[in-house]
Amino acid sequence: MAVTKISAKLRKLLQQAIARELQVSIQYMWQHVIWRGVKGFAVKDAFEEIAIEEMKHAEKIAERLFYLTDEVPTTKPDPIVVGGNLKEMLQQDAKDEEVAITMYKEIIQLAESEGDVTTAEIFRDILKEEEEHHDTITTLLEEV
Ligand SMILES: [Fe+2]
Ligand SMILES: [Fe+2]
């Protein structure tokens, strides 16, 4: 059992973070699969690359949660919205990245307030990547 003890609130937020990482991981990978047209060709690799990073985030958070609490990480993704065309896909993805950025800032603050330095550090690294995703997605959105 871990030396660090976390609050029920932080535990719940970690589970919620895993659910959304699973969601976007599947969402982006399916967007990678069903791309169409010339503009789709330009973004299909970005969808795949980001999808894989999201799955790695899910893994990191799940490992941390399991270490801290012995609680089994959720296997249920948040609702997946693939979108009907490229613009809808990218608009949805930009929103999902914004949700992640807000939630992970909250997790960093809460973890720090509980003295859980490592969780805060893990989420700082993930937050950096979410900001990069948001930048990539909103830049692609300008082109469609
Ligand atoms: Fe992520
Ligand atoms: Fe992301």
Side-chain angles (χ1 to χ4, degrees):
M1 200 62 188
V3 175
T4 306
K5 297 270 181 280
I6 61 168
S7 66
K9 189 181 177 192
L10 183 52
R11 200 175 62 213
K12 202 171 153 217
L13 276 169
L14 293 180
Q15 289 282 21
Q16 283 172 6
I18 294 165
R20 67 153 307 284
E21 291 293 351
L22 294 174
Q23 173 220 334
V24 291
S25 173
I26 299 165
Q27 183 171 306
Y28 300 166
M29 192 59 90
W30 278 190
Q31 290 170 340
H32 162 70
V33 168
I34 65 167
W35 69 274
R36 281 197 184 90
V38 176
K39 284 173 177 170
F41 186 79
V43 304
K44 68 184 175 73
D45 292 342
F47 283 141
E48 182 193 32
E49 203 177 294
I50 300 176
I52 292 167
E53 285 182 7
E54 307 296 18
M55 184 53 84
K56 288 181 181 167
H57 293 168
E59 179 197 14
K60 270 188 210 148
I61 302 165
E63 274 178 341
R64 184 67 184 158
L65 174 79
F66 191 64
Y67 168 71
L68 287 172
T69 67
D70 267 341
E71 191 167 295
V72 177
T74 184
T75 56
K76 280 205 188 77
D78 279 346
I80 295 161
V81 184
V82 175
N85 59 49
L86 202 58
K87 194 171 181 183
E88 280 175 19
M89 291 179 190
L90 290 167
Q91 281 171 338
Q92 180 63 43
D93 299 351
K95 259 189 245 161
D96 285 321
E97 293 298 323
E98 283 158 25
V99 169
I101 289 165
T102 304
M103 187 196 283
Y104 295 175
K105 283 181 181 169
E106 188 188 345
I107 290 174
I108 291 164
Q109 282 188 346
L110 186 61
E112 256 165 14
S113 77
E114 296 183 14
D116 183 0
V117 180
T118 306
T119 297
E121 196 161 307
I122 289 167
F123 273 87
R124 265 203 196 87
D125 290 341
I126 296 176
L127 177 62
K128 247 180 255 163
E129 293 192 349
E130 306 301 8
E131 285 178 345
E132 282 169 21
H133 297 166
H134 186 259
D135 185 28
T136 302
I137 290 163
T138 52
T139 303
L140 291 169
L141 197 48
E142 286 168 16
E143 302 297 319
V144 300

